[in-house]
Every structure is written in structure tokens, then in C-alpha cells.
Amino acid sequence: MSRLFPRKLDLANGAVEMVHGSGGKAMAQLVAELFAAAFANPLLDQRNDQAAFDVPAGRMVVTTDGFVVSPLFFPGGDIGSLAVHGTVNDVAMAGAVPLHLTAGFILEEGFPLAELARVVTSMAEAAREAGVAIVTGDTKVVERGKGDGVFITTTGIGMVPPGVAPSGDRARPGDAILVSGTMGDHGVAIMSTRENLGFETGVLSDSAALHGLVAAMVAAVPDVHALRDPTRGGLATTLNEISHQSGVGMALREADIPVRGEVAAACELLGLDPLYVANEGKLIAICAAEDADALLTAMRAHPRGQDAAVIGRVVEDRHRFVQMETRFGGTRIVDWLSGEQLPRIC
Amino acid sequence: MSRLFPRKLDLANGAVEMVHGSGGKAMAQLVAELFAAAFANPLLDQRNDQAAFDVPAGRMVVTTDGFVVSPLFFPGGDIGSLAVHGTVNDVAMAGAVPLHLTAGFILEEGFPLAELARVVTSMAEAAREAGVAIVTGDTKVVERGKGDGVFITTTGIGMVPPGVAPSGDRARPGDAILVSGTMGDHGVAIMSTRENLGFETGVLSDSAALHGLVAAMVAAVPDVHALRDPTRGGLATTLNEISHQSGVGMALREADIPVRGEVAAACELLGLDPLYVANEGKLIAICAAEDADALLTAMRAHPRGQDAAVIGRVVEDRHRFVQMETRFGGTRIVDWLSGEQLPRIC
């Protein structure tokens, strides 16, 4: 490409310019020397405006998520790894095996190329680790003050194994409710970096790809009824979504919900409830009561599910309430998140 | 949903608030009363974080595009219809039949819900007209001054008919180069709205879905070698991309390239070359010389290809130059776009 780009992109000291979104030579260079170099794979290397590949007949899933997390870099991850994990997880929550990812970048004029390169490298590593490739993408640039460094929208596709069909409308009275680990780590990690909060918790984001855990779970219990990752709005909101979709209630036991001591302490300091704080590497599973032991055993045997626990059960309730027996023996309603607790958490 | 949302969203006077991105009740209401209502279809109505559907075995394509066009509304379209057309077209340029779309929205705090509703309605109409459904999506909100009203990232998937395999690396010396219509309409329509230019051309954007045209083309000539829509960077840049990918040169005839009189006049006034101005409803096709008549006939028989023309041919050239015989009989090199001509054109 030397005729086309006589000077290499200055990844150390350069910045995003409007010309990088023009569709012309500068954009081609940014794509070639940064994105294509980091994400290199045979499909992306087709260098068309789309990736083409063969698929077998079967059940496919597609999911899209935008990422606007602030700050871009946080303890345990960054917007790049998060954009991979978040979308891989939404594919996995259908019980599916992720096939491919796509990535759309919206860059702000003036954003340092060195920071963009850090994000892209992290994204490439997360994709490699998850065993999925970023097969096509797009880059746009907006003027200074019309964006915020970088926004990333990722789309994932995957194939669902036969006999597997988890869905938010399949929770039935009597079902067991499980979580794969501690609640609230991601949200607290993000908050620990926000200047106006200025505290150091030592808590890392749990940002991680969960498709390996899900594969182990559906191998043990193919008929898992529902899977969902409790991201924005946390465990409480996600359980309310499922209750609403399935037309059921839920009965939780607070003492059984795993929360790290540091997370509980930080939440207390900030007046937050960890049940409403976002997670990026945890899942909720709902299955028939008789499958709960097998599912819990499969989860605990996987590195991403070591702290898995049964936290309650699905009950009949025409009001679709999520209720919780508190540590003090009382019962309270765990409602949807109704305000804005943590802006731009993902 | 009346228990959940006692008051309806105020689509007439309301505005986007940070709480609409929280993952909680306000976001659920925005999704239910605006997005899900406008895009309603059985897959979206699954209300999971992903859409699941059956696919046959075959060749699939996936493509992603971000849209940041400014202004949001322009003669002949808006960011909503453009986000559908642009992605449908990238699917179609693989010779594929579009199956489904996904949409990720990044909203700016304070953006009027009435404008968002206009965009979403237009998007839903464009999808309906194109015969594709928006099957899943995502909404994020950023603070005032960290975005610009609305950015939309759409992803499209489609299936390629057997025997069809257009690709930018398949242009061969001797091949014919065709375009489906007039060049530069979209870019000039956008520019006519920009305040600091302040002129009225009467030119409408050509924004349109081209998969119907492509279906007619591949039915006539299944072995079309390359298809690409000349968006950012225009005809000139897109032909340079293909020359580069295929390792060939191109010889164009300026007199054969269709350009509307008003577009040519506006470009002259602004010191622009219409060959570098974006299109959103036109395509370039490259095919074997012996197939050119059949392809041109098929294109002209379709409403989106009435002004189709053969504009030149592929030649051997180790420098991969795109050259053009000018109206005055000379020859000049048509290089890649090298500056930023029209920021945020799509």
C-alpha cells in the first residue's frame, strides 16, 4: 500500500480528523493501518462493504448494542473489550454459539489516535479470546463537541443448538432462579473512576464473555427456560422484565444473592442498592426446579460461574411483582429501576 | 402496560432525558411506545435482547453502517430512511436478498421526542417499503453536548443466491463499468440545506433501497463481477477502491457519466467535482463485456435504473489508475478523494 499511503498514520501523536470520515484516502488509511491490522481475519480481509460466509440451516440469533461508557478506560476493562463482551453475551443469552461480530465506530474530531489504538487493540484481544472475529465495520467522524471520543456499536450473530430455546417469556411458577456470580461489580468499578466520586474501591469490572459458561449450561440442561444478563438496571430490573414478559411473580431471598463485601460497602456509601447496579459478566438463569441442581453444578464447574447461586423461585402473581425476603426476615417489593442511577455505565 | 406506565410518553412536547438510557422503567417506556410501536414485527415482539429466527443453509452476508448525517432532515429523506437504505444497499451490493435489520440509537439529552418520532416513523416506513423488518435494537443516551441529536447504526443480514458472488476484487481487464443513474444527487441535496451555503437547488437526495434493482440485475447476469454503491467519496473514490482491490486500471468517458444539470451547476458554484459527491441510491456494476448489454437492459427496465449507462471499461494497469477521457478529448487521472469535501454526508 506504499503508493497509496506514502506516510504511515501517526498512531503515537496523531488525532482523529474530519478527513478520517470522508470516505477517501485518509479514511482508507485509518481502516487499513488501525482497524484492519488489529482485527485481521479472512472475512474482514475481503475488504468489501459487507462480509460473506456460509451458514448451515438452523436457528440464528442477531443482537445489537451501542457502547457509550464514560470513562472509556476503567478498572477491569475499557469500551473496546466491553463492546465485544456485551454483544457476545446478548448472543449467548439465546443459548447460542457466537459466529461473528461487526463494529461501527463514531469518532470525535480531536480524539487521540493513541487512545483509539488502545481501544481497538483491547477490542481485538477480547474478540480473539472469545473466539469470534470482527468481520466488517464502519467508521464515522463527527465534529469536536458533537461526540465524546468514541462510541462503538457492535452486532453479533450466532447459531442456537437444536432443542435450546431460552426466552424471557418462558419463566413458569415453580422454576428456580439462579445467578452466575456476584452482583454490581461493573457499576461500582465505573463509579470508582468518576472524578466527582473520588474513591478507590479496588473493585474491577466483571466484564467478560459468557458464551463458554452458557455452552456448559445448555449441555447440562438444554431446556433452560430463560437466560439474561443483568446489565443496565441490574438484577432487579432484569428480573422485572422477565416477570413482565412471562406474566409471573418472583420470590427472592436476599441472603442468597452474592454481593462482594467491597461492592456492598461502596453502594452503602453512595446510597445505592447493588441489585440495581449493572453487571457485564454475569447472567440470570431460570429453569425447572428439578433441573436446578444440575444447572448449578454445571455453572460452578465453570470459571465464570464459581460463585453461582440459587437466589429464589418463580411464583404465580397476576401483579407480576418481584418480591424479596430480606436479611431481617421481612418481605419487600423489588421494583423496576425508576430513576437514572448511573448514567453511561455501558 | 398500564400498571407499568401510568402516563403515556409525551411525544409532542417531551425531550430525551438521561433516564431514557438507564435501562429502567423510562427506557422500557420509550422502547415500548416509540420504537416497538413503530417497528412492530413478530421478531422484535419477542422482546428479548436478541432476535431468533430460522435460516436455510447458504451464503450469508452481514454489514454495518453508522449514520451521523447533518442536518437530520434533508430534501428527499432523513437520517431514519437513510439508515435503512444505506444498510439494505450494502447487503444488496453482495448480490444478496436482505433478511433483517437491527438498529442502535445514540440519543443526545434534550433532543425533542417529536423529532425522534419523525425519524423513527420514517425509518419504519423505509423498512416496510423495502420489505425488511427491524428485528432488534438498542438505545443509549449521552449528555447534552456529547452527541448531536441522534446517531443511528444499522446492521443488515441477507442471503446470497447460489452462483452470485460479486466482489471488489473481481474486476478484470476488458470488463464493462456501468452506473445505475445520475451521480452526486445526495451530496448536493445535503449541501443545499447547510446554512452557510444557503442556496436552494431543488435537488432531492437519491436515497433509496437498491435490492430490487440488484435482484433484477443478478437474474439477468448472475455472474456480475462487482457491485458497489458510491457513497462517501463518490464514484471516483469507489472506482479507485475497486481498482486497488482487483489490481487493475479503469478507463472512463466523462461524456457517458450521467449528472443532472442542477447538480453540475451546484457543483460548479461550490468548486466541487460531482464524481466525488456522495450517492445513496445508485450503484456501480462491473461485468464481462459480453454481459454488458443484458445487464444494461435489465437495469433500465427497473425504476431505480432508468438512467443507467456504461461509463467505461476495466484495463490492465499495474499502477491501478482510474483514468478519464474528458469532454474535451484529453485524459486525466481520477484519483482517490484526498481531503474532506463534505463532512457528515451520511
Side-chain angles (χ1 to χ4, degrees):
Chain A
M1 292 231 174
S2 55
R3 180 189 76 83
L4 203 53
F5 313 127
R7 267 179 305 216
K8 283 204 79 168
L9 200 62
D10 184 358
L11 288 176
N13 303 301
V16 171
E17 298 169 35
M18 290 307 292
V19 70
H20 289 124
S22 68
K25 204 180 266 194
M27 193 177 89
Q29 183 171 25
L30 182 73
V31 169
E33 296 182 10
L34 183 54
F35 296 111
F39 299 149
N41 61 74
L43 290 178
L44 186 65
D45 298 347
Q46 292 171 347
R47 285 187 296 158
N48 288 317
D49 288 336
Q50 67 292 114
F53 47 89
D54 294 321
V55 290
R59 193 142 182 89
M60 172 168 272
V61 293
V62 62
T63 184
T64 285
D65 251 325
F67 294 87
V68 300
V69 65
S70 174
L72 298 173
F73 304 93
F74 50 81
D78 58 70
I79 192 172
S81 54
L82 187 63
V84 170
H85 296 153
T87 291
V88 164
N89 291 350
D90 276 350
V91 170
M93 294 309 125
V97 179
L99 280 182
H100 299 306
L101 294 178
T102 73
F105 295 85
I106 298 177
L107 308 176
E108 184 190 11
E109 180 188 18
F111 185 55
L113 289 180
E115 286 193 40
L116 181 58
R118 267 181 76 191
V119 167
V120 168
T121 302
S122 163
M123 205 171 167
E125 278 173 13
R128 206 154 26 234
E129 209 171 285
V132 293
I134 295 164
V135 297
T136 189
D138 179 63
T139 305
K140 294 290 187 298
V141 179
V142 296
E143 301 88 345
R144 210 180 287 263
K146 301 290 187 185
D148 197 12
V150 54
F151 300 143
I152 306 176
T153 300
T154 42
T155 296
I157 58 172
M159 299 297 293
V160 188
V164 175
S167 178
D169 60 4
R170 292 191 58 216
R172 293 290 171 267
D175 283 358
I177 305 169
L178 297 86
V179 294
S180 64
T182 55
M183 294 289 109
D185 300 18
H186 176 73
V188 166
I190 297 288
M191 289 170 66
S192 74
T193 65
R194 298 228 173 123
E195 292 168 273
N196 56 340
L197 294 170
F199 70 97
E200 269 297 333
T201 63
V203 175
L204 301 182
S205 167
D206 58 348
S207 179
L210 295 175
H211 58 305
L213 172 61
V214 168
M217 290 168 66
V218 301
V221 179
D223 189 33
V224 58
H225 292 176
L227 293 171
R228 193 163 291 175
D229 51 341
T231 56
R232 285 182 288 177
L235 177 67
T237 304
T238 308
L239 289 178
N240 270 281
E241 286 172 16
I242 297 172
S243 290
H244 196 80
Q245 264 181 279
S246 293
V248 296
M250 296 189 182
L252 311 180
R253 287 178 308 272
E254 185 173 23
D256 293 339
I257 300 174
V259 178
R260 276 183 214 286
E262 311 92 283
V263 169
C267 284
E268 194 157 318
L269 193 70
L270 294 156
L272 294 174
D273 183 336
L275 302 191
Y276 291 88
V277 177
N279 309 279
E280 291 290 350
K282 301 292 160 49
L283 60 80
I284 298 166
I286 294 177
C287 69
E290 61 268 28
D291 288 333
D293 281 348
L295 193 60
L296 186 65
T297 302
M299 290 167 80
R300 287 193 173 160
H302 191 278
R304 299 269 171 234
Q306 283 171 341
D307 301 322
V310 176
I311 63 166
R313 63 200 166 80
V314 178
V315 296
E316 270 189 61
D317 181 354
R318 64 185 183 84
H319 298 293
R320 306 177 189 189
F321 285 144
V322 176
Q323 303 204 47
M324 184 169 74
E325 185 188 316
T326 69
R327 286 178 192 276
F328 310 107
T331 297
R332 69 175 177 91
I333 289 178
V334 177
D335 204 357
W336 295 66
L337 175 65
S338 63
E340 170 55 294
Q341 206 182 33
L342 303 168
R344 297 180 63 185
I345 205 76
C346 61
Chain B
M1 294 228 174
S2 55
R3 179 187 78 82
L4 204 53
F5 312 128
R7 268 178 306 220
K8 283 204 81 170
L9 201 62
D10 184 359
L11 288 176
N13 303 300
V16 171
E17 299 170 35
M18 291 306 292
V19 70
H20 289 124
S22 68
K25 206 181 266 193
M27 193 178 89
Q29 184 171 23
L30 182 74
V31 169
E33 295 182 11
L34 183 55
F35 296 111
F39 299 151
N41 62 74
L43 291 178
L44 185 65
D45 298 348
Q46 294 172 345
R47 287 188 297 158
N48 288 318
D49 288 337
Q50 65 293 113
F53 47 90
D54 294 321
V55 290
R59 194 148 181 84
M60 172 168 273
V61 292
V62 62
T63 183
T64 285
D65 250 326
F67 295 87
V68 299
V69 64
S70 175
L72 298 173
F73 304 93
F74 50 82
D78 58 70
I79 192 171
S81 53
L82 187 64
V84 169
H85 296 154
T87 291
V88 164
N89 290 349
D90 277 349
V91 170
M93 294 310 125
V97 179
L99 280 184
H100 298 306
L101 295 177
T102 74
F105 294 85
I106 297 176
L107 308 176
E108 184 190 11
E109 180 188 18
F111 184 56
L113 289 179
E115 287 193 40
L116 181 59
R118 268 181 74 191
V119 167
V120 168
T121 303
S122 163
M123 204 171 168
E125 278 173 14
R128 208 155 23 235
E129 209 171 284
V132 292
I134 295 164
V135 296
T136 189
D138 179 64
T139 306
K140 292 291 187 299
V141 179
V142 295
E143 300 87 347
R144 212 181 284 265
K146 302 291 187 185
D148 198 11
V150 55
F151 301 143
I152 305 175
T153 300
T154 42
T155 296
I157 58 173
M159 299 296 294
V160 189
V164 174
S167 177
D169 59 5
R170 292 191 56 215
R172 295 286 170 268
D175 283 358
I177 305 167
L178 297 85
V179 294
S180 63
T182 55
M183 293 289 112
D185 299 18
H186 176 71
V188 166
I190 296 288
M191 289 171 63
S192 74
T193 66
R194 298 229 172 125
E195 291 167 272
N196 55 342
L197 295 170
F199 69 97
E200 268 297 333
T201 62
V203 174
L204 301 182
S205 167
D206 58 348
S207 180
L210 296 175
H211 59 305
L213 173 62
V214 168
M217 290 168 65
V218 301
V221 179
D223 190 33
V224 56
H225 293 177
L227 293 172
R228 195 163 290 177
D229 51 342
T231 57
R232 283 181 290 177
L235 177 68
T237 304
T238 307
L239 289 177
N240 271 282
E241 286 171 15
I242 297 172
S243 291
H244 196 81
Q245 265 181 278
S246 293
V248 296
M250 296 189 182
L252 311 180
R253 288 177 307 273
E254 186 174 24
D256 293 339
I257 300 173
V259 178
R260 277 183 212 287
E262 311 93 283
V263 169
C267 284
E268 193 156 322
L269 193 70
L270 294 157
L272 296 174
D273 183 335
L275 301 191
Y276 291 89
V277 178
N279 309 279
E280 292 289 350
K282 301 290 160 51
L283 60 79
I284 299 166
I286 295 176
C287 68
E290 61 270 28
D291 288 333
D293 281 349
L295 193 60
L296 186 65
T297 303
M299 290 167 81
R300 288 192 172 160
H302 191 279
R304 299 268 171 235
Q306 283 170 343
D307 300 322
V310 176
I311 63 166
R313 61 196 167 83
V314 178
V315 297
E316 268 189 63
D317 181 355
R318 63 186 183 85
H319 298 294
R320 308 176 187 190
F321 285 143
V322 176
Q323 302 204 49
M324 184 169 73
E325 185 188 316
T326 68
R327 288 177 191 278
F328 311 105
T331 297
R332 69 174 177 91
I333 288 178
V334 178
D335 203 357
W336 295 67
L337 173 65
S338 62
E340 171 54 297
Q341 205 181 33
L342 303 169
R344 297 180 61 185
I345 205 77
C346 62

